[in-house]
Amino acid sequence: MAAPMPVALIDDDKDLRRATAQTLELAGFSVSAYEGAKAALAELSADFAGPVVTDIRMPEIDGLQLFAMLKGIDADLPVILMTGHGDIPMAVQAIQDGAYDFIAKPFAADRLVQSVRRAGEKRRLILENRMLRKAAEDAQENSPLIGQTPVMENLRKILRHIADTDVDVLVAGETGSGKEVVAQILHQWSHRRKGNFVALNCGALPETVIESELFGHEAGAFTGAQKRRTGRIEHASGGTLFLDEIESMPVATQVKMLRVLEMREITPLGTNEVRSVDLRVVAAAKIDLGDPDLRGDFREDLYYRLNVVTISIPPLRERRDDIPLLFSHFAARAAERFRREVPELSPEMRRHFASHAWPGNVRELSHYAERVVLGVEGGAAAPVPAQPTGGGTLPERLERYEAEIIRDALTANDGDVRSTIEALGIPRKTFYDKLQRHGINRGGYTARK
Ligand SMILES: Nc1ncnc2c1ncn2[C@@H]1O[C@H](COP(=O)(O)OP(=O)(O)OP(=O)(O)O)[C@@H](O)[C@H]1O
Ligand SMILES: [Mg+2]
């Protein structure tokens, strides 16, 4: 159970104060009542978690003055004004100045409760956004790899353990999931950071070029080789060699690479000279090279040589709890770059976070955040693809599809078990079994965490 939402109530009329407090308490709020603005100001601060409800006509400091002072404490504190008959023009002006709502006296209990509830929800989102933004800043300070889910915590722990060893690492993950970030961390967190981080995209270079790129050549080694050239491997000596898209490395090169990994030496083209290199190799693959069906013509021996340590980065849709934090980070960064306001997280955005399959993973999310900052994406959910993308066997894909459907249903029903089960049309036990199997945390979908 979440703690009840606090409400600050200020009214100099004792009877009205008591009655209003009672109404709000019956509706489930936790009310702090004050007989005047001074007493309230002494206690309210920028982290007050709920709305403020105040009478306008009060001796000393009146409700409008109080509203102005509260703006100084926290401009995002929702203030609801209770107004007597003659004060409505003033109240309308106050709304223009940013007051949340006004309620003309006498009012129905319902009207008040609804306004307070909406204001409270708004307040909750604002504080949550602030918290996320701060967490994103802190996270960025601690590590460029943002994420608070257990898998990401664990991943950082592993990186910390292995970064300063010379062990070669294979990083596996879908596009945009952070493979290069991981490779760079391995470099930065090791003594090799003084050397070069040399990235080579094995898929982007034609077969004829890749070997001279990797191993270098002497002048005249082949037609067109006019000058001696140091290869990337040698350039990375003392630092880190990042072989991106290793699955696309031509087979002939794979054989030579295997030799490099085993002997830690190279022979530039056009020479017989053997040069030793001090290397740490980090390779990245989008596919599971351990699977013979996916591996294709990728050499098994090279796979085993690279696979001393494999770091698998799960796709974003399998760590959805990291999405708000990542979004806040990218939105803040984009806002700074484009000189725009940092957007608040809206419920629509949250729905999009929860239901979208994110085939482009973190990169896609960062582009989404940029579009939101630029105002071209209001956060309204983009059409959800009929099927989450990504490969795998039919049963694996069906599993993923099922998990998506369950998440959608939970989102649509704010995590309410009964209505979610009804929507899905499955027995309660099956529902809970599936939650467990897919690692879905129902608590993450309730309106109030
Ligand atoms: N956990 C993370 N925290 C912060 N930023 C991240 C994280 N993961 C990825 N990014 C950012 O997302 C973008 C894509 O990450 P990266 O280039 O490392 O992905 P990749 O796995 O190498 O993708 P590809 O396979 O397409 O090359 C980059 O801008 C990167 O900084
Ligand atoms: Mg990459």
Side-chain angles (χ1 to χ4, degrees), residues 73-88:
I73 294 176
D74 180 353
D76 293 324
L77 207 53
V79 175
I80 299 169
L81 299 160
M82 298 181 289
T83 64
H85 197 62
D87 303 331
I88 290 183

Side-chain angles (χ1 to χ4, degrees), residues 325-348:
L325 189 62
L326 281 162
F327 176 86
S328 297
H329 163 69
F330 292 125
R333 213 179 55 181
E336 201 175 295
R337 194 165 70 220
F338 303 135
R339 293 169 205 274
R340 296 284 177 101
E341 292 270 302
V342 178
E344 299 291 335
L345 269 189
S346 68
E348 291 91 321

Side-chain angles (χ1 to χ4, degrees), residues 41-109:
L41 284 166
E43 287 190 19
L44 289 175
S45 65
D47 53 16
F48 184 68
V52 177
V53 180
T54 180
D55 189 22
I56 290 195
R57 296 249 162 149
M58 294 187 294
E60 294 182 63
I61 305 172
D62 71 22
L64 293 174
Q65 287 168 314
L66 173 61
F67 164 54
M69 290 164 151
L70 287 173
K71 267 209 277 194
I73 294 176
D74 180 353
D76 293 324
L77 207 53
V79 175
I80 299 169
L81 299 160
M82 298 181 289
T83 64
H85 197 62
D87 303 331
I88 290 183
M90 261 198 288
V92 172
Q93 180 59 46
I95 297 274
Q96 276 165 16
D97 294 342
Y100 182 77
D101 194 6
F102 74 85
I103 298 180
K105 289 195 277 196
F107 48 78

Side-chain angles (χ1 to χ4, degrees), residues 117-131:
R117 192 163 281 150
R118 275 200 309 272
E121 179 60 14
K122 182 178 175 202
R123 183 67 180 158
R124 189 182 68 79
L125 287 175
I126 285 170
L127 292 188
E128 201 175 273
N129 269 301
R130 269 188 207 162
M131 194 267 299

